[in-house]
Amino acid sequence: MKIVGIAACTAGIAHTYIAQEKLLQAAKARGHEIHVETQGLAGTQDALLSSDIQAADMVLIAADIKVSGRSRFTGKRIVDVPTSLVVKSPNKLMEKLEEMLK
């Protein structure tokens, strides 16, 4: 499965980067490709390329705030979750995403 996503928390610091790292680890452990953009106080980092978005099977938005650039995902399956869910249960989240694509 190819996943693209955005991680963003209210402060744009700790949970944003923790969520990004947890998603990267959980997806790779299950054999998936993933690219996660972060949005926050430091601005946008690891920005998604349009080619990544087009190739993606799913868009995962792990955010506690409104994220910018959602219009890039028109026509894609989007899953919204809070960053706390990603931080606490990244593997269970990956399992649910896999089930959604069956």
Side-chain angles (χ1 to χ4, degrees), residues 5 31 35 39 53 59-61 63 77 84-85 97:
H35 184 146
Q39 294 182 10
I53 296 167
V59 177
L60 177 63
I61 299 180
R77 174 177 275 177
S84 61
L85 180 91
L97 296 178

Side-chain angles (χ1 to χ4, degrees), residues 32-96:
H32 304 303
E33 290 181 39
I34 188 167
H35 184 146
V36 181
E37 171 181 299
T38 60
Q39 294 182 10
L41 290 177
T44 299
Q45 297 178 334
D46 298 316
L48 298 170
L49 302 174
S50 58
S51 58
D52 293 330
I53 296 167
Q54 290 303 314
D57 299 307
M58 181 174 291
V59 177
L60 177 63
I61 299 180
D64 303 320
I65 58 171
K66 185 176 179 178
V67 296
S68 62
R70 281 185 76 106
S71 61
R72 300 177 283 173
F73 309 126
T74 300
K76 293 288 182 181
R77 174 177 275 177
I78 301 173
V79 176
D80 288 282
V81 297
T83 58
S84 61
L85 180 91
V86 175
V87 171
K88 292 177 187 172
S89 303
N91 294 316
K92 286 192 178 200
L93 175 60
M94 283 298 141
E95 288 175 21
K96 290 195 184 266

Side-chain angles (χ1 to χ4, degrees), residues 8-20:
C9 70
T10 52
I13 305 172
H15 281 100
T16 299
Y17 299 109
I18 293 170
Q20 179 189 38

